[in-house]
Amino acid sequence: MPPATSPHGYALKPSEARALQNAEVVFWVGEALTPDLGRKIGSIAGDSRVVTLGEAPGTGHLPSREAAVFGAQEAPHGHHDHEDHDDHGHAEEEHAHEEDAHAGHAHGPDDPHLWLSPDNAAAWLDHIATVLAETDPENAETYAANAEAARATLESTVAQARETLAPHHEDRYIVFHDAYQYLEASFELQVVGAIQVSAATPPSPGRLAELREAAAEAGVTCIFAEPQFDPRLVATVSQGTELPVAELDPLGATLTTGAGFYPELISELAGRIADCAAD
């Protein structure tokens, strides 16, 4: 998928479908994030080994949030269920929930933006290296060495991001859609609410009004837009205030893809949050 597109409802081009058909291994986060792709993998990549990273050992999950303002009705992000979802019965139940959510592209019971947890990224490094080594045993040592090097880079990146964000633990933010919960939990950020529940669910006038009121009451520091979505919705919430509006992109659309992409994404997000809070 091109980095600048939303994964929630992306339609494959013929060339992308051919690439999927020819793949020996398909890695994806899971059906809750890309429901349309889930249906295509089974039909197009039927002979491929499909690896759902959201079900990988060591993956932590947080429940989806529906409210415009994150408050007492939802567990604070320091106390969410963060257990591994490798139990077979739970996986079947989760799949059923995801199927029910497809029509509206809702998130389902679990927040699918799993990659914004550096802990999940570290767990996935090991899992990806193991799968690649099993698929291509002649290069197993290379995959293991690359995973070890990537883990060291990730640890350094996370330490720097913590230092960048440490002065801003008490600042409060509003985000465009609720994609950053894992980042909040990892770096002790205070997000008051989200303009949209998900990327595919437009906000009601009542939701926008509730956010404007919450922004005033909570002393919100900054509102974050996203490059893939209509900036007028952000303007509706910030109207009549002097709140700075900055762009935050959980997909890293402008970043160079490759081995350094994920560390750069975490650094970019941390820097943009800190810069907006400091304005």
Side-chain angles (χ1 to χ4, degrees), residues 84-105:
D84 297 348
H85 282 198
D86 52 2
D87 177 74
H88 180 69
H90 181 84
E92 290 182 345
E93 178 184 356
E94 180 180 29
H95 180 73
H97 281 300
E98 289 170 0
E99 286 293 324
D100 291 340
H102 282 170
H105 292 256

Side-chain angles (χ1 to χ4, degrees), residues 136-151:
D136 178 23
E138 290 184 3
N139 292 301
E141 291 184 5
T142 299
Y143 296 128
N146 287 345
E148 184 176 354
R151 192 178 304 107

Side-chain angles (χ1 to χ4, degrees), residues 86 97 121 132 199 233 241 247:
D86 52 2
H97 281 300
L132 292 177
L233 293 174
T241 75
E247 199 170 82

Side-chain angles (χ1 to χ4, degrees), residues 136-226:
D136 178 23
E138 290 184 3
N139 292 301
E141 291 184 5
T142 299
Y143 296 128
N146 287 345
E148 184 176 354
R151 192 178 304 107
T153 300
L154 177 61
E155 290 174 358
S156 175
T157 299
V158 169
Q160 181 59 55
R162 291 193 195 285
E163 184 177 333
T164 299
L165 293 169
H168 304 291
H169 287 166
E170 300 305 317
D171 293 321
R172 287 168 170 76
Y173 311 94
I174 286 175
V175 296
F176 185 84
H177 91 284
D178 192 18
Y180 305 95
Q181 187 178 186
Y182 292 94
L183 200 72
E184 295 168 42
S186 298
F187 295 100
E188 300 179 54
L189 302 175
Q190 305 294 327
V191 175
V192 172
I195 294 173
Q196 295 192 178
V197 174
S198 74
T201 308
S204 66
R207 185 182 182 93
L208 296 175
E210 186 179 356
L211 278 172
R212 281 196 300 271
E213 182 178 346
E217 291 180 354
V220 164
T221 306
C222 186
I223 299 178
F224 289 108
E226 291 184 30

Side-chain angles (χ1 to χ4, degrees), residues 69-134:
V69 177
F70 308 144
Q73 75 275 23
E74 294 168 313
H77 53 239
H79 300 280
H80 289 305
D81 173 20
H82 215 73
E83 296 178 358
D84 297 348
H85 282 198
D86 52 2
D87 177 74
H88 180 69
H90 181 84
E92 290 182 345
E93 178 184 356
E94 180 180 29
H95 180 73
H97 281 300
E98 289 170 0
E99 286 293 324
D100 291 340
H102 282 170
H105 292 256
H107 282 166
D110 282 349
D111 186 331
H113 304 89
L114 296 158
W115 69 93
L116 290 182
S117 163
D119 288 342
N120 284 345
W124 293 354
L125 275 173
D126 292 335
H127 191 57
I128 290 169
T130 297
V131 170
L132 292 177
E134 291 170 353

